[in-house]
């Protein structure tokens, strides 16, 4: 299932087409494409589509296969408009018979953690290589999972984990460092 939010900044409705394309992230031919025409009213319109990817390739720790999903707008005269792409992978997580399974295979989580703090800049490192290095070191050390504690990972860090084949245990900063209280839900 795909969704895109299309924003028409004009005060009047306009007509156009949206095309959703799914392809291997690393390049290659499109796997599936779907197109539909729409009338875009002023403001935001949520567009939904369903596609079937037959024989999809599963993301795994040793083969972190990713797909690229692109939404492309086209004007009635055929002029290409805005486009947005994002990546995704297909994987199956479940607990069965007391064991964690990824894509049906039992795995043992070997995790490291990062406070996601850096010597210079604290939350924002002085260069992108410093944030990448932590994640690369975790993968090279044989870990298959990384925990970002008391702080959120950046989009770039999550993308790198997807590319390298690292599972992520992400926790919201509000999930701890708060004393228990009857007001917990409100404070959270």
């Amino acid at each position: 299932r795909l969704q895109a939010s299309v924003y028409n900044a004009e005060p009047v409705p306009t007509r156009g087409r949206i095309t959703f394309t799914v392809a291997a992230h690393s390049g290659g031919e499109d796997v599936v494409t779907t197109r539909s025409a729409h009338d875009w009213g002023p403001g935001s319109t949520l567009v939904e589509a369903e596609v079937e990817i037959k024989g999809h390739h599963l993301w795994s720790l040793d083969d972190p296969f990713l797909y690229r999903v692109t939404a492309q707008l086209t004007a009635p005269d055929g002029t290409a408009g805005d486009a947005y792409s994002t990546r995704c992978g297909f994987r199956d997580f479940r607990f069965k018979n007391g064991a964690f399974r990824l894509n049906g295979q039992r795995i043992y989580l070997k995790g490291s953690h990062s406070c996601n703090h850096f010597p210079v800049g604290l939350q924002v490192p002085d260069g992108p290589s410093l944030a990448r290095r932590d994640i690369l070191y975790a993968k090279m050390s044989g870990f298959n999972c990384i925990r970002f504690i008391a702080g959120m990972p950046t989009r770039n860090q999550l993308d790198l984990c997807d590319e390298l084949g690292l599972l992520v245990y992400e926790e919201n900063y509000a999930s701890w460092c708060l004393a228990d209280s009857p007001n917990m839900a409100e404070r959270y």
Side-chain angles (χ1 to χ4, degrees), residues 60-135:
S60 68
L61 299 170
D62 296 323
D63 184 16
F65 190 88
L66 296 170
Y67 289 91
R68 183 182 68 255
V69 180
T70 303
Q72 169 79 54
L73 295 176
T74 307
D77 65 3
T79 305
D82 291 338
Y84 181 80
S85 291
T86 190
R87 299 177 321 163
C88 68
F90 294 98
R91 49 192 165 204
D92 178 47
F93 298 104
R94 62 181 73 215
F95 284 93
K96 186 175 179 184
N97 299 327
F100 180 71
R101 297 182 183 278
L102 176 64
N103 302 329
Q105 301 295 313
R106 182 177 181 168
I107 65 167
Y108 293 92
L109 294 177
K110 299 177 223 164
S112 178
H113 73 265
S114 170
C115 292
N116 215 20
H117 292 96
F118 304 97
V120 178
L122 196 60
Q123 282 298 119
V124 180
D126 61 340
S129 65
L130 189 57
R132 290 178 56 84
R133 204 172 318 146
D134 271 354
I135 296 167

